[in-house]
């Protein structure tokens, strides 16, 4: 079955039975094939993946809808997801625009408003994905407990299974997990987080208004999200200034920032191998030493 037939099937699954007028492949990351598709009704963004993990696109749609319901920052409208002939898909609104001088400020304010949305506890009531890796969740009463049990521990296990935890790295990680409460706050509230916010997971829409995409949502400490935005760069100073106008960072944020970045470094260690080993070790050496 050719791609146009599959794209037509995806549109029909959301109730658009008009014929495709034009389609083209667009950049959409390393995980999915991505297409701009114009039907007789409107223009869509369709993501497709061969044999996607169970619930992969359902989790993405759920995350986008949860952010949309917060009314804090824009996300593309989701029309639906489906699967046939070994292909899975998610049909989204096509969003297009260019940054303006106000975009960074709008992004900072919008993310802060999102983080002001409080959840009932830390975590989530369903599992998600970080990239293609399953992200187990559940509800936790304490942020350090969630971060240890649902974030760091599973990534540590995965790294060990792949032979990416030499003895010293493994020992330091165990030491750190036992002592996380020394650095993580026990009095923060559970903020709604995008969960995977690097510079490629937001886009400018009409008039430069920012839209968040590709979430891995959870309720967690808001500084966890900000720490990841700083890991690989790409966010301008005006974004951070605007964010702090609504959501100040604590005085000891910089003391714990590498601990929050450690989770994402472990994810990259699993996905890309020992290329990220030195970065993991630098964080562990800072806290665990010898």
């Amino acid at each position: 079955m050719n791609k146009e037939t599959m794209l037509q099937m995806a549109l029909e699954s959301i109730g658009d039975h008009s014929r495709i007028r034009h389609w083209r492949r667009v950049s959409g990351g390393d995980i999915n094939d991505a297409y701009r598709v114009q039907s007789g009704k409107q223009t869509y963004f369709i993501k497709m993946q061969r044999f996607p993990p169970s619930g992969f696109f359902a989790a993405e749609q759920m995350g986008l809808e949860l952010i949309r319901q917060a009314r804090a920052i824009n996300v593309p409208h989701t029309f639906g997801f489906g699967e046939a002939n070994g292909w899975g898909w998610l049909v989204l609104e096509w969003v297009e625009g260019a940054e303006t001088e106000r975009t960074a400020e709008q992004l900072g304010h919008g993310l802060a408003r999102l983080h002001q949305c409080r959840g009932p506890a830390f975590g989530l009531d369903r599992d998600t994905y970080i990239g293609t890796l399953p992200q187990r969740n559940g509800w936790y009463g304490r942020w350090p407990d969630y971060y240890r049990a649902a974030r760091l521990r599973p990534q540590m296990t995965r790294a060990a299974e792949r032979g990416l935890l030499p003895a010293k790295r493994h020992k330091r990680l165990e030491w750190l997990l036992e002592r996380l409460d020394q650095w993580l706050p026990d009095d923060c509230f559970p903020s709604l987080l995008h969960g995977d916010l690097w510079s490629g997971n937001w886009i400018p829409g009409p008039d430069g208004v920012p839209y968040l995409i590709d979430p891995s949502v959870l309720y967690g400490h808001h500084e966890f999200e900000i720490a990841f935005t700083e890991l690989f760069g790409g966010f301008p100073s005006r974004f951070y200034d605007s964010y702090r106008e609504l959501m100040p960072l604590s005085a000891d944020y910089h003391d714990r920032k590498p601990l929050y970045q450690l989770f994402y470094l472990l994810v990259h260690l699993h996905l890309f191998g020992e290329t990220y080993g030195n970065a993991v070790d630098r964080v562990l050496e800072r806290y665990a030493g010898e």
Side-chain angles (χ1 to χ4, degrees):
M1 187 175 294
N2 63 39
K3 283 296 173 66
E4 184 168 353
T5 302
M6 290 300 303
L7 293 170
Q8 187 72 54
M9 184 179 298
L11 292 187
E12 291 178 358
S13 74
I14 63 164
D16 186 344
H17 297 279
S18 61
R19 299 302 301 173
I20 292 176
R21 293 182 175 179
H22 181 266
W23 66 277
R24 61 180 171 87
R25 187 165 183 168
V26 295
S27 60
D30 299 325
I31 297 174
N32 304 295
D33 295 339
Y35 301 89
R36 181 185 185 275
V37 180
Q38 185 177 357
S39 76
K41 289 186 176 181
Q42 67 179 82
T43 303
Y44 301 93
F45 178 65
I46 300 180
K47 305 170 72 169
M48 305 188 77
Q49 188 179 151
R50 186 71 167 162
F51 301 119
S54 176
F56 182 82
F57 287 120
E60 182 172 346
Q61 176 169 283
M62 176 277 299
L64 289 169
E65 286 301 300
L66 194 59
I67 295 173
R68 182 186 64 80
Q69 292 167 14
R71 300 174 182 262
I73 190 168
N74 287 325
V75 294
H77 177 74
T78 58
F79 293 98
F81 60 90
E83 189 169 342
N85 302 315
W87 284 92
W89 60 76
L90 177 64
V91 184
L92 302 162
E93 166 193 12
W94 175 261
V95 175
E96 188 172 12
E99 291 185 47
T100 71
E101 61 182 12
R102 295 192 61 232
T103 299
E105 176 183 351
Q106 291 172 324
L107 181 62
H109 282 161
L111 187 66
R113 289 193 297 269
L114 182 69
H115 290 174
Q116 289 172 344
C117 297
R118 300 192 179 203
F122 296 98
L124 201 65
D125 61 353
R126 66 196 75 186
D127 296 338
T128 58
Y129 287 87
I130 181 76
T132 56
L133 300 181
Q135 174 57 61
R136 307 304 179 197
N137 285 300
W139 292 121
Y140 291 74
R142 298 178 66 249
W143 166 244
D145 293 340
Y146 173 80
Y147 191 57
R148 178 188 297 108
R151 290 285 163 150
L152 292 182
R153 178 66 71 182
Q155 293 303 327
M156 180 178 173
T157 300
R158 288 184 176 125
E161 291 172 348
R162 291 198 58 199
L164 295 167
L165 281 189
K168 180 179 285 189
R169 187 178 298 165
H170 190 279
K171 181 179 179 181
R172 285 173 168 174
L173 266 171
E174 285 287 6
W175 187 95
L176 185 60
L177 262 61
E178 292 175 2
R179 295 165 176 81
L180 275 182
D181 290 61
Q182 294 183 23
W183 297 282
L184 269 56
D186 195 25
D187 58 351
C188 59
F189 66 85
S191 296
L192 179 56
L193 309 184
H194 174 281
D196 191 14
L197 190 57
W198 63 290
S199 60
N201 276 352
W202 74 272
I203 56 175
D207 300 319
V209 173
Y211 284 67
L212 299 186
I213 59 173
D214 297 346
S216 180
V217 293
L218 71 147
Y219 288 95
H221 187 205
H222 67 105
E223 292 179 356
F224 178 47
E225 186 117 280
I226 296 302
F228 184 42
T229 67
E230 295 193 68
L231 181 57
F232 300 124
F235 291 82
S237 60
R238 185 57 187 142
F239 160 76
Y240 294 104
D241 293 341
S242 300
Y243 179 88
R244 289 192 297 266
E245 289 173 1
L246 301 181
M247 286 288 286
L249 302 177
S250 60
D252 52 359
Y253 162 69
H254 289 285
D255 292 333
R256 72 172 62 95
K257 179 174 71 173
L259 281 180
Y260 285 163
Q261 294 175 338
L262 178 61
F263 166 72
Y264 294 99
L265 290 172
L266 288 171
V267 168
H268 282 70
L269 180 68
H270 176 88
L271 293 175
F272 304 107
E274 191 56 33
T275 301
Y276 285 88
N278 287 338
V280 169
D281 290 339
R282 283 194 294 271
V283 175
L284 296 177
E285 185 174 0
R286 172 171 177 161
Y287 296 96
E290 292 298 326

